Every structure is written in structure tokens, then in C-alpha cells.
Amino acid sequence: MDWNLKIKKEWQGAILVLIGAILFSAKAVVVKLTYQYPLGALTSLFFRMLFAFPFLIWIALSEEKKLGPAELTRKEWFSVFFMGIVGYYLASLFDFLGLQYITAGLERIILFIYPTLVVILSFLFLKKKIRSREIFALLLTYTGVAIAYSQDLKVGAAKDVSLGAIFILLSALTYAIYLMGTGSLVPKLGAKRYTAIALAISSLAVFIHFALFGKWEELDQPFSLYLLTFFMGTVNTVLPAIFVSEGIKRVGSKEAAIIGSVGPMSTLFLAYWFLGETITFFHTIGTFFVLFGVFWISSGKKEKVLND
């Protein structure tokens, strides 16, 4: 490949990952904005997946046409279904529940620790040894989370902030489980098709959940809420999934992970501009601790970075 074309391709990939990471991270801010309307977490999530679902089906069918039928065993299809439920349905549900209680900035900081949870889960269940550098990275990461958490305690009730943090931690944990189970499936389906299918499965789970337990009266909302949730379902869900997937093809997963670390910082600033959330010196310090710890623990790994 011509050197100039290679540089151009890498720049295009970096820009795609950067935009995708910012759009993904902005989702927390949009979710908080939906809570200014009379609805709960399940209804907000329902609207998000309702507007995303047609585009997800279109992406999956387009990839099917381009790549050909997926040759998966019944067990592998069950794994895809299970990962869609765990990695996107449960992760998204916990995320939306948690955002009712904590700031968007703290949400993104806690969610960003999922690579550290992969390391811990691998140690507990796969007997993979934790190296000394990883121990230091874990300590640094969770110190950063504790610092950011302490700042939220100053502006919210301790019970609510703690409950919200637990929900977001569960979201990060389920997403970490999802990542651990995708290794053998992505090469067979392709990253974009796999993501679209997993998100479509999670959408169906959300629809069933809402049909059984949702508050139907909350579906009657001002037109501005429909526009906001359409934005969340497309610009904060479908588009960044495509951008990050295409960006990874051009720059690689390791470089994409580095670029994607802009997410937590962008959330802090977006939450400040649109929600009036305070950015303190300790918020910034906590965020940098988390970023550095996660980057250190992720360096050398070949993991795909895709958020709920």
C-alpha cells in the first residue's frame, strides 16, 4: 500500500473512533435529559431501542448480503443470543437505572473500568495470573473511581449515589462478561454484523420487558422527547457502533482503545454544558487516574472497544 494512502487511512480511522467515542459517551447526557420528562429508566431505554431497532436490522441484513450467511452451530447462535442479553440488554438496563441517581460524569468513569473487570474475572474463573503491573493499574483505577465517587457524595444523598454507583458497576460487569464471551464469535460474524445482531437481540428483550412491566401511560410524551430519544437511538447508539467498527479496521483495536479514552473526559464537559454538572479538580484527578489505570491494563491487549 502507498505510504500516503496508509497515513490517510489511519487518520480516517482515528477520526471515526474519536467521533464514535464522543457520541457513545454523550449517551449518558442524553439519558439524563430524558429524565427531565415524566418517565422512568425502562421507558427511556424502550424509546432508545425502538428507534435503533430498524437500523440495526438493516445493518445486519446488509452485512449478511456482503459477507454471506453466517456458518454458526446451534451452540454458537445460543452464545450470540446470551451475549446480546447480558452485554447489551442487562448492561443498558443497569446503566439507565444508575443514571437516575448519579451524575453522567461519574457514570462514564465507572463504566470505563470494564477492562479491569475482565482481568479480575479472568483471574477468578479462568485462573489467569494477575501481573504486578496489572495490580498497580487496578489500584490506580479504583482509587480514581473512589475520588470521583466522593465528589458526587457532596452533591447528592449518600444512599442514592451509592445505589446509582452499584447499578453502573453492574453495567460494567455485564459488559465485561460480554467481552469475554465474544472472542470466538466476532471473527465468524464480523464485528459490525455481530454488534448489530447483539443489539437487536437486546432490543427485543427490552420490548418484552416493557410489555410485561412497563408503564404504558409514559409512552404519551411531548414531541421533543420523541426527538431526543430518536437522537439517542441513532446518533448515540447506531452511528457510533458503525464509526468505531470502521475505525478499528483502519487503526487497529489497541490504537482505537487509546483514542476512545477521550470518552470519560468528553462526558464531563458535555455534562457541564448541557446538565450543569460541576467539574471539580478532584473529578479531573479521578478521571485521569482511571484513564491511566485502564490504559495501562489494556496495553498489549487486542480487545474491541464498543459501549452499550
Side-chain angles (χ1 to χ4, degrees), residues 22 25-33 36 99 102-109 152 263-279 283:
I22 293 173
S25 299
K27 181 213 68 184
V29 176
V30 179
V31 173
K32 296 287 284 187
L33 288 173
Q36 296 177 2
L99 279 166
I102 64 174
T103 62
L106 180 59
E107 179 260 9
R108 187 52 44 177
I109 291 172
D152 265 41
M265 288 304 299
S266 69
T267 302
L268 285 178
F269 288 110
L270 290 171
Y272 170 76
W273 288 326
F274 292 101
L275 301 173
E277 292 184 4
T278 304
I279 303 176
H283 271 122

Side-chain angles (χ1 to χ4, degrees), residues 160-194:
D160 288 344
V161 174
S162 298
L163 179 60
I166 290 172
F167 275 129
I168 304 302
L169 184 60
L170 287 172
S171 178
L173 178 63
T174 49
Y175 189 68
I177 294 172
Y178 163 80
L179 283 181
M180 293 177 67
T182 61
S184 62
L185 298 171
V186 171
K188 294 185 177 182
L189 284 170
K192 195 186 298 184
R193 177 166 55 175
Y194 178 75

Side-chain angles (χ1 to χ4, degrees), residues 20-282:
I22 293 173
L23 292 179
F24 264 137
S25 299
K27 181 213 68 184
V29 176
V30 179
V31 173
K32 296 287 284 187
L33 288 173
T34 68
Y35 291 157
Q36 296 177 2
Y37 296 82
L39 51 71
L42 179 57
T43 307
S44 181
L45 179 58
F46 172 81
F47 277 125
R48 177 204 184 192
M49 304 318 296
L50 179 67
F51 288 122
F53 188 70
F55 297 97
L56 297 171
I57 296 300
W58 175 74
I59 292 171
L61 292 176
S62 299
E63 291 296 295
E64 183 89 0
K65 184 177 180 180
K66 183 170 69 175
L67 302 176
E71 297 182 359
L72 298 181
T73 64
R74 183 177 299 179
K75 182 178 179 181
E76 288 172 329
W77 275 118
F78 176 80
S79 296
V80 173
F81 178 83
F82 179 76
M83 289 302 146
I85 296 295
V86 173
Y88 283 117
Y89 163 63
L90 286 180
S92 296
L93 181 61
F94 289 140
D95 184 36
F96 277 60
L97 289 170
L99 279 166
Q100 294 181 119
Y101 303 103
I102 64 174
T103 62
L106 180 59
E107 179 260 9
R108 187 52 44 177
I109 291 172
I110 297 175
L111 273 185
F112 199 69
I113 69 171
Y114 68 85
T116 69
L117 296 176
V118 171
V119 171
I120 294 172
L121 290 173
S122 297
F123 169 73
L124 293 175
F125 298 103
L126 302 180
K127 307 304 180 184
K128 290 187 177 181
K129 185 178 180 181
I130 299 181
R131 297 171 295 175
S132 56
R133 61 172 286 162
E134 291 174 331
I135 293 175
F136 176 75
L138 289 171
L139 291 173
L140 191 64
T141 299
Y142 291 104
T143 298
V145 171
I147 292 172
Y149 170 78
S150 69
Q151 296 305 296
D152 265 41
L153 287 177
K154 295 179 180 179
V155 296
K159 181 180 178 180
D160 288 344
V161 174
S162 298
L163 179 60
I166 290 172
F167 275 129
I168 304 302
L169 184 60
L170 287 172
S171 178
L173 178 63
T174 49
Y175 189 68
I177 294 172
Y178 163 80
L179 283 181
M180 293 177 67
T182 61
S184 62
L185 298 171
V186 171
K188 294 185 177 182
L189 284 170
K192 195 186 298 184
R193 177 166 55 175
Y194 178 75
T195 302
I197 292 174
L199 277 168
I201 290 170
S202 75
S203 299
L204 294 175
V206 171
F207 299 157
I208 294 171
H209 188 167
F210 185 85
L212 295 175
F213 303 105
K215 297 180 179 179
W216 291 84
E217 64 274 14
E218 290 184 352
L219 296 180
D220 184 15
Q221 296 289 342
F223 184 68
S224 56
L225 185 276
Y226 301 140
L227 286 178
L228 191 62
T229 50
F230 176 80
F231 184 90
M232 176 168 57
T234 54
V235 178
N236 296 129
T237 303
V238 178
L239 275 183
I242 295 173
F243 285 177
V244 172
S245 178
E246 291 297 320
I248 289 174
K249 289 181 183 178
R250 291 166 170 79
V251 299
S253 59
K254 184 177 178 180
E255 289 74 12
I258 297 171
I259 299 168
S261 64
V262 72
M265 288 304 299
S266 69
T267 302
L268 285 178
F269 288 110
L270 290 171
Y272 170 76
W273 288 326
F274 292 101
L275 301 173
E277 292 184 4
T278 304
I279 303 176
T280 67
F281 170 76
F282 289 103

